[in-house]
Amino acid sequence: MELLLSELISKNRYWTSFGRVATYIPELKNADQNALGIAVVDMDGNIYKAGDYDTKFTIQSVSKPITLMLALMDYGPEYVFEKVGMEPTGDPFNSMRKLETINPSRPLNPMINAGAIAVASLIKGKDNQEKMNRILGLFRKLSKNPSLDINENVYFSEKKTGDRNRSMAYFLRDVGVIEGNVEDILDLYFMQCSIEVTCEDIAQIGMFLANHGLVKETGEQYVPKHITQIAKTFMVTCGMYDASGEFAIQVGVPAKSGVGGGIMCAIPNKMGIGVVGPALDKKGNSIAGVKMLHELSKQLNLSIF
Ligand code: DON
């Protein structure tokens, strides 16, 4: 396996020069444009890694299916899906144009920014600190990495420049989708996006989803199976934004990407995969990461369809 992964890295690294690192969050432009790394965790817990697997990056939108699971555990699907829809948008992840045109007004799904901000408003806790501790605790547990933490530079950078998200959040309060202090909700969202990880961390989280919420070592059902199914279904239909259809055809696995360059895949009953490649394509997905997953899926016959 490690040999195969190393070959895929060598073969696909040149794609990194065709993408661009995200710059709209200023701190992200310090990422290494040419980095490419991968980690695979199988059902027995074996870990295989290749390339720049040590590269640290912020989790960004890869966090969205995970915080969705927390909101679903806190409030249940019925209430959560009153606030946020279940349909793909076909629009970029930060688009706001459909917010006002659909009736009743609510974000189309929890994988776009507006939807994830609505989800952040549904995390329980007596204050923001407690809510953040619950979010961070969940990521630490699922990644099996107790030292995961926030990259404060990225967090402050996004907080300072996140006016597009800020405008959507205020709009969402105006139409009654979110309640309470908008700046606190945004803070929680910016912090969840700024959790710093490696591709092994997100491969472990992918494995947890692949194993339907069961922690294999302890036999503990940490997240109910039906909630992990909801998260994986959104990963298939909306996880790669307006490239989700093409990704489903070419790779065929539940996946979630982020503008930090991460892609997390959960292949039911098989494996979790984490990829890092900060050079992004036009739709905001890791350009070399997608190419590499396409080939890996073909070689290992991973498509779930
Ligand atoms: O809100 C934002 O724009 C970022 N914190 C996360 C966006 C993201 O990762 C979308 N990814 N492709």
Side-chain angles (χ1 to χ4, degrees):
M1 176 71 99
E2 242 153 37
L3 189 63
L4 169 65
L5 298 180
S6 296
E7 279 170 12
L8 290 179
I9 295 275
S10 318
K11 211 171 141 191
N12 288 289
R13 196 187 290 275
Y14 81 99
W15 280 107
T16 59
S17 57
F18 294 100
R20 291 200 168 172
V21 301
T23 53
Y24 76 100
I25 300 172
E27 193 65 23
L28 294 184
K29 61 172 175 267
N30 300 328
D32 178 359
Q33 157 95 25
N34 297 114
L36 187 63
I38 186 165
V40 170
V41 181
D42 70 15
M43 292 291 281
D44 297 320
N46 300 309
I47 303 167
Y48 307 95
K49 298 188 264 195
D52 305 308
Y53 56 81
D54 277 340
T55 298
K56 291 194 169 166
F57 56 101
T58 47
I59 192 162
Q60 300 296 341
S61 291
V62 176
S63 63
K64 291 173 181 171
I66 312 307
T67 48
L68 172 67
M69 294 198 296
L70 194 53
L72 287 167
M73 287 192 288
D74 281 355
Y75 283 95
E78 204 176 322
Y79 187 74
V80 170
F81 294 123
E82 264 173 35
K83 305 286 182 192
V84 53
M86 298 184 190
E87 302 303 335
T89 64
D91 290 332
F93 62 85
N94 56 2
S95 174
M96 52 172 88
R97 73 189 186 100
K98 286 188 181 137
L99 278 185
E100 206 184 9
T101 54
I102 52 172
N103 195 4
S105 187
R106 59 171 188 181
L108 271 165
N109 70 66
M111 301 294 112
I112 52 172
N113 287 2
I117 292 166
V119 167
S121 78
L122 298 174
I123 304 300
K124 284 189 177 168
K126 71 175 187 311
D127 53 25
N128 252 21
Q129 191 55 51
E130 187 176 300
K131 292 176 188 179
M132 190 55 214
N133 289 344
R134 290 188 67 226
I135 292 176
L136 204 48
L138 181 62
F139 279 91
R140 286 176 176 162
K141 172 90 182 179
L142 305 195
S143 65
K144 301 185 176 164
N145 181 355
S147 58
L148 280 195
D149 222 330
I150 310 290
N151 177 324
E152 298 225 327
N153 293 336
V154 174
Y155 160 65
F156 284 118
S157 184
E158 186 167 0
K159 187 175 160 78
K160 205 165 142 195
T161 57
D163 285 343
R164 198 177 176 86
N165 285 330
R166 194 163 277 116
S167 63
M168 287 193 276
Y170 278 98
F171 179 81
L172 290 175
R173 188 172 66 177
D174 181 63
V175 294
V177 168
I178 64 179
E179 286 165 34
N181 184 314
V182 175
E183 293 302 327
D184 280 355
I185 293 165
L186 282 164
D187 243 15
L188 203 59
Y189 171 73
F190 295 147
M191 281 194 277
Q192 101 184 33
C193 290
S194 305
I195 297 174
E196 190 166 68
V197 291
T198 63
C199 52
E200 181 179 337
D201 295 322
I202 57 172
Q204 290 285 6
I205 302 175
M207 180 60 223
F208 174 83
L209 292 170
N211 204 26
H212 316 288
L214 196 70
V215 179
K216 201 164 178 231
E217 296 75 22
T218 57
E220 179 189 11
Q221 188 74 47
Y222 196 69
V223 174
K225 183 176 175 181
H226 71 279
I227 287 182
T228 66
Q229 282 169 329
I230 294 173
K232 281 177 285 189
T233 309
F234 277 121
M235 288 163 72
V236 170
T237 57
C238 319
M240 305 297 281
Y241 303 104
D242 45 335
S244 297
E246 187 178 347
F247 189 87
I249 287 172
Q250 293 188 333
V251 186
V253 306
K256 184 73 202 80
S257 75
V259 289
I263 304 176
M264 170 179 77
C265 303
I267 299 120
N269 308 315
K270 274 197 184 145
M271 62 180 73
I273 304 175
V275 166
V276 58
L280 308 178
D281 62 22
K282 291 207 168 66
K283 294 186 170 175
N285 297 315
S286 169
I287 188 162
V290 170
K291 299 283 178 196
M292 198 161 62
L293 287 168
H294 186 185
E295 256 183 275
L296 185 66
S297 176
K298 270 200 297 192
Q299 300 235 16
L300 299 182
N301 194 19
L302 295 179
S303 175
I304 62 167
F305 300 110

